Amino acid sequence: MPPALPGARPDFIQDIAMTNGNSEHVTYRVKHFDPDRDQAPRWQEYRIASSAGMTVLEGLWQLKETQAPGLAWRASCRMGVCGSCGMWINGKARLACNTQIAELESSFVTVAPLPNFDIVRDLVPDLTPMFDAHTVVLPFLIRSDRAEQESPTVEYHQSREELERYLQFSYCIKCGCCMAACPTFATDALYSGPMPLTQAQRYNSDSRDDGFGQRKTVLAGTAGPWRCHYAGECSRVCPKGVDPAKAIQLMKRELVLDFLRLRRHSRPTDLVEKPEGIKRRPDIPEAPARTV
Amino acid sequence: MRDQSLWTWHVIAGVVILVFLGLHMGVMHLDALLGLFNPEGGHPIDWGNVLARMKSGFFTVTYVVLLGAALFHGLYGLRNIVYELGPGAGLRSAVNAVLWIAGLALFAIGSWAAWAASRLATTL
Amino acid sequence: MLDVRGHPNRLGLWGWLGGGRWGTDRYLYTLHRLTGLGLLGYFVLHIIVTSSRAFGQQAWEQAMARVSGPLFLIGEYLVFIAFAFHAINGIRLVLIELGIGVGKPIEPVYPYRTSLDVQRPLAVGAVLLAAVLAVVGGLDFFVWH
C-alpha cells in the first residue's frame, strides 16, 4: 500500500463519500459587497468539492481557504446554537452551519446575506434594527419586587405547566432568519418583527412576570402584532422550532381580550417558601461570591 | 393603542360582514339554488324583487349595518396595506385623513340611498 | 457605536410576491390581500351604482343596463370568486389570529411541528370550501339562469 499523501483523507472517509454518491462538485454563487469599493452588491461563482455531510458553512470555509480569502461572514459555534450564521441560502433564510449542501438538492448553492437588513459587508447583515426592537419590548421579567430581583433570596414558584407556556419561545437564538423571511418586515421598517414580538410574548406568558401593561404601550400600537397576517414564513424558517407565528397569534388573542376587558389578570407568582431548619452538608462548599 | 382597538373592530366587522354579506350573496347569486327573498321570481335584480327588499325594514337596516361594517373593514385593510409599504409620518396621517373622509362620504351616500329607497317603496 | 456603511437590502414589495422560496400560507396571504383590494374597489362602485334604486324603477333599470353584458357578468363572477375566497379564508384567519387552531406552545423537538402544520387542515379545508362555493356560484351565474 503506498504511503498516504500528506493532507489526503483516509481511504475510509473517501469510501463513505463515494457510497453516498456525494463526492461531487457544487457551484457556490456568493453575494459580495465591499463598502469601500462596491457601489452595489455583485455575484461571484466558485466551484468547490463537496462531500457527504458537508454544511454550507464548511463550504464557505473551504472557499475562504482556497479561492476567496477576503470573503466575510459571521459564524461561531457551527452547531446551530449561537445564531451568528443566518444567511439567505437558495431562496430561504437558514443557518449555514445547520444546512447540509446535500439537503439543498441542487448543484448550485446560492448564498446571500439575510435580506431586510443592511449589508455591512459580503454576507454580514446589520442586525441592529432587530436588537433595537428587541430592547423596546422589554425582554426581561418585570416585577414590583425590585430588591428581590436584584439580590434574590429564594426562587420564584413556577409549575411545569406554567413553564411550558413560554418554554418554546425561549429557545430563540436571535439569528434573524424570521425577520428576513417576514413579508411585512420586507417593506415596513417600523414593524417590530417576529423575533421581538415572540420575545415579548415569551415574557408576557411567563407566570413570574407582571409586565403586560408596560409592554402594551408598544404592542398595542402600530409596531405591534397587528402587522402580522399569518404568512407563516417565520415559523417555516425558524431553525430552532420557536414558531414565532404561533407566539404572535397568541399575543393578539391576549391583546384583543384585554381591549374587550375580558383578559384575566393573574398576579405574578410568589416566592417559594424558604425551607427552614435545614443545614448545609459539610461536603458542599459555599456558593462563590457574586461578581455582578 | 390605536391598532389594538382598530384591529379588534376589524375582526368584529369581518364577522358582521360574513353574516350579512353571506346572506346578500345567497340572495343575489345563489338564488337559483336557495330562492331567498325574490318574491317576483326571475332575476334578483329585477325591479319587483328590488322593490320588495326596499319595502322590508330588515333589509334597510341590515344594508346600512353591512355598509358600515364593510367600509370599515375594507378601508382599515387598505390602511394596513399602505402602512406596511413604509410611508413617512406625513403620508401616514394624510392617508388616514383621506380614508376617513372617503369612508364617511361613501357611508353617507349608501345610507341615504337605503333610507330614500325605503321611503320611496312605502309610497309606491 | 460601530460606524457601519450598510447597503440597503430590503426585499420590498418583491417580498410579498416573489424573491424567495415561500410556503403555501404566504401565497394565501398574498391572495387574501389581492382579493381584499379587488372587493374594496368593487364595493365602492357597487355603493354608487345601487344607490340609483332610490330614484325609482327607471333609474334602477338604466343603471343595471349600463353594467350588464358578458364582460360585466364575467367581472361579477370574478368578484364572487374573490368573495368566496376572502370570506372562507377570512374565517380561518379570524380563528388563527385569535390563537385558535394554532396549538399550544410545545417543546420543540426536531423535526419541528409548527403552528403551520397544526392549522394545515383549516387551510386545506378553506381552499376546498372556497372552490366548491366558486363552482356553485359559477353554475348560478352561467348555467341556471
Side-chain angles (χ1 to χ4, degrees):
Chain A
M1 199 172 113
L5 292 167
R9 291 186 300 172
D11 284 348
F12 71 91
I13 288 185
Q14 272 173 17
D15 282 351
I16 292 170
M18 297 295 272
T19 50
N20 283 347
N22 215 354
S23 71
E24 290 167 358
H25 280 75
V26 287
T27 304
Y28 263 62
R29 295 186 67 230
V30 181
K31 208 173 194 175
H32 281 267
F33 176 73
D34 182 342
D36 292 329
R37 272 184 296 179
D38 297 329
Q39 290 296 312
R42 60 195 162 79
W43 290 96
Q44 190 133 1
E45 288 197 4
Y46 307 93
R47 256 174 86 74
I48 62 163
S50 74
S51 52
M54 190 166 151
T55 64
V56 172
L57 182 64
E58 286 168 333
L60 286 175
W61 282 117
Q62 201 189 107
L63 258 182
K64 194 173 174 74
E65 283 163 10
T66 56
Q67 301 177 51
L71 185 64
W73 69 86
R74 248 190 240 120
S76 179
C77 75
R78 50 181 221 309
M79 50 194 194
V81 172
C82 74
S84 302
C85 65
M87 293 174 198
W88 193 252
I89 299 163
N90 284 22
K92 195 178 162 190
R94 321 177 208 230
L95 295 181
C97 67
N98 223 8
T99 308
Q100 293 196 9
I101 291 173
E103 79 185 70
L104 298 173
E105 290 177 340
S106 164
S107 52
F108 285 90
V109 181
T110 310
V111 192
L114 285 181
N116 303 342
F117 296 107
D118 291 355
I119 307 173
V120 177
R121 184 189 169 121
D122 295 340
L123 302 174
V124 182
D126 179 9
L127 300 178
T128 318
M130 175 175 81
F131 292 121
D132 286 348
H134 186 219
T135 314
V136 167
V137 299
L138 312 176
F140 41 82
L141 287 184
I142 299 173
R143 293 175 65 94
S144 50
D145 53 352
R146 184 79 195 241
E148 174 65 26
Q149 275 196 294
E150 294 296 330
S151 359
T153 52
V154 281
E155 293 167 9
Y156 294 120
H157 183 270
Q158 186 158 67
S159 68
R160 177 76 207 177
E161 290 73 36
E162 287 167 338
L163 170 73
E164 278 174 357
R165 252 177 256 155
Y166 72 84
L167 184 64
Q168 177 171 29
F169 310 136
S170 69
Y171 279 96
C172 175
I173 56 174
K174 282 85 182 170
C175 61
C177 285
C178 55
M179 309 287 278
C182 175
T184 304
F185 195 62
T187 52
D188 186 2
L190 297 179
Y191 175 45
S192 302
M195 186 287 266
L197 291 179
T198 303
Q199 289 318 297
Q201 176 63 12
R202 177 249 173 275
Y203 285 96
N204 274 349
S205 50
D206 191 321
S207 60
R208 299 165 296 178
D209 180 86
D210 197 21
F212 181 83
Q214 279 190 53
R215 288 187 199 98
K216 201 175 87 174
T217 53
V218 178
L219 300 179
T222 189
W226 326 107
R227 301 269 84 88
C228 167
H229 309 288
Y230 205 73
E233 214 58 47
C234 49
S235 295
R236 208 171 66 91
V237 301
C238 179
K240 303 305 284 183
V242 169
D243 208 342
K246 186 199 284 174
I248 295 172
Q249 312 323 312
L250 295 177
M251 170 187 278
K252 270 190 224 168
R253 193 230 306 262
E254 289 295 306
L255 286 164
V256 166
L257 289 178
D258 174 71
F259 175 70
L260 300 172
R261 307 272 185 277
L262 293 173
R263 182 173 181 271
R264 256 181 303 153
H265 180 78
S266 51
R267 252 165 31 83
T269 47
D270 288 324
L271 300 172
V272 176
E273 260 180 60
K274 208 168 185 175
E276 278 176 42
I278 291 180
K279 276 181 140 180
R280 178 190 305 281
R281 264 167 51 182
D283 53 333
I284 298 178
E286 281 277 352
R290 292 181 61 187
T291 52
V292 185
Chain B
M1 293 291 149
R2 294 201 66 194
D3 282 82
Q4 185 186 19
S5 50
L6 288 175
W7 191 84
T8 308
W9 285 114
H10 183 67
V11 170
I12 294 170
V15 175
V16 171
I17 295 167
L18 190 70
V19 174
F20 292 128
L21 188 59
L23 178 69
H24 183 65
M25 284 298 194
V27 170
M28 291 297 162
H29 295 305
L30 300 177
D31 51 299
L33 190 66
L34 305 171
L36 289 168
F37 303 108
N38 288 309
E40 303 286 311
H43 204 279
I45 61 165
D46 291 344
W47 178 250
N49 292 324
V50 174
L51 191 64
R53 286 194 294 271
M54 279 158 64
K55 270 197 184 119
S56 142
F58 172 76
F59 273 98
T60 307
V61 171
T62 55
Y63 274 161
V64 175
V65 172
L66 178 59
L67 175 74
L71 275 173
F72 178 78
H73 187 89
L75 294 179
Y76 177 73
L78 179 61
R79 176 182 177 273
N80 264 349
I81 294 178
V82 175
Y83 269 39
E84 283 164 26
L85 291 173
L91 197 54
R92 274 170 184 249
S93 38
V95 166
N96 243 339
V98 167
L99 292 184
W100 269 113
I101 293 167
L104 289 174
L106 285 166
F107 184 72
I109 295 173
S111 20
W112 168 81
W115 173 78
S118 137
R119 295 242 327 187
L120 178 71
T122 47
T123 56
L124 286 180
Chain C
M1 188 68 199
L2 212 72
D3 178 35
V4 176
R5 273 178 296 158
H7 189 272
N9 192 29
R10 268 183 201 280
L11 277 175
L13 252 189
W14 183 227
W16 286 7
L17 302 165
R21 299 186 177 184
W22 313 128
T24 336
D25 300 87
R26 183 161 188 158
Y27 292 106
L28 291 182
Y29 148 86
T30 308
L31 205 54
H32 200 75
R33 300 217 123 170
L34 293 179
T35 52
L37 284 174
L39 288 169
L40 181 63
Y42 172 82
F43 183 48
V44 170
L45 295 177
H46 187 65
I47 292 172
I48 293 163
V49 171
T50 54
S51 291
S52 62
R53 73 187 186 281
F55 299 105
Q57 183 171 7
Q58 207 188 354
W60 172 258
E61 276 164 3
Q62 265 178 10
M64 285 302 111
R66 204 165 296 153
V67 293
S68 60
L71 265 182
F72 278 101
L73 191 65
I74 290 169
E76 253 181 65
Y77 181 54
L78 288 179
V79 170
F80 184 84
I81 295 177
F83 157 76
F85 174 78
H86 201 88
I88 307 289
N89 193 47
I91 300 174
R92 176 184 80 103
L93 284 178
V94 167
L95 292 176
I96 285 175
E97 300 199 23
L98 293 176
I100 302 161
V102 291
K104 285 181 177 166
I106 46 162
E107 185 147 3
V109 179
Y110 197 83
Y112 305 125
R113 186 175 145 80
T114 67
S115 61
L116 298 175
D117 306 310
V118 178
Q119 62 85 45
R120 183 67 63 223
L122 276 178
V124 173
V127 171
L128 286 180
L129 201 56
V132 168
L133 206 54
V135 169
V136 175
L139 290 173
D140 198 285
F141 263 82
F142 301 110
V143 181
W144 295 335
H145 270 291

